[in-house]
Amino acid sequence: MKTFTHPNLETVSLATVMQALADPCRQKIVLALKDADGQGLACNVFDLNVSKATASHHFETLRSAGIIESRWEGVKCLSVLREKELNQRFPGLLDLIAAEV
């Protein structure tokens, strides 16, 4: 199984986070994870209407920007929003994204 790396949010710039959130597909992922209230969601539950490769790219972009954290649970890859950390580092950002949709 692939192992995931997650950056320390203190090392992630606002520009990196904003670039990752600029894509509507990634916004959709973030909002669904925000609504999940900390519960990990498998990538196959998102209705993204993109290929598996493109979906994987979107999840990797969000992970690299420190927005989500992913882990393996059995054969499922679950992702969770790093909401508490994001709110500490970039106060109000997630609320702003949610208000824009």
Side-chain angles (χ1 to χ4, degrees), residues 28-97:
K28 190 174 185 178
I29 293 167
V30 168
L31 292 175
L33 290 172
K34 187 171 178 9
D35 288 344
D37 291 323
Q39 179 181 353
L41 297 179
C43 59
N44 64 345
V45 303
F46 298 91
D47 184 24
L48 302 177
N49 294 318
V50 297
S51 71
K52 284 184 180 184
T54 300
S56 291
H57 167 74
H58 288 311
F59 281 94
E60 178 58 36
T61 299
L62 291 170
R63 263 192 306 277
S64 296
I67 298 169
I68 66 171
E69 193 169 272
S70 299
R71 70 180 187 284
W72 288 103
E73 193 168 290
V75 295
K76 290 184 180 179
C77 174
L78 301 179
S79 294
V80 65
L81 183 64
R82 295 174 68 179
E83 188 167 6
K84 182 179 178 182
E85 294 169 277
L86 283 165
N87 284 332
Q88 287 174 347
R89 176 88 165 110
F90 307 109
L93 178 65
L94 293 175
D95 291 335
L96 182 62
I97 297 301

Side-chain angles (χ1 to χ4, degrees), residues 20-32 62 97 100-101:
L21 292 172
D23 185 276
C25 219
R26 293 192 286 266
Q27 289 175 18
K28 190 174 185 178
I29 293 167
V30 168
L31 292 175
L62 291 170
I97 297 301
E100 287 296 311
V101 174

Side-chain angles (χ1 to χ4, degrees), residues 3-35:
T3 58
F4 302 110
T5 58
H6 304 94
N8 178 334
L9 270 179
E10 294 301 317
T11 66
V12 176
S13 69
L14 178 60
T16 298
V17 172
M18 295 301 290
Q19 185 175 10
L21 292 172
D23 185 276
C25 219
R26 293 192 286 266
Q27 289 175 18
K28 190 174 185 178
I29 293 167
V30 168
L31 292 175
L33 290 172
K34 187 171 178 9
D35 288 344

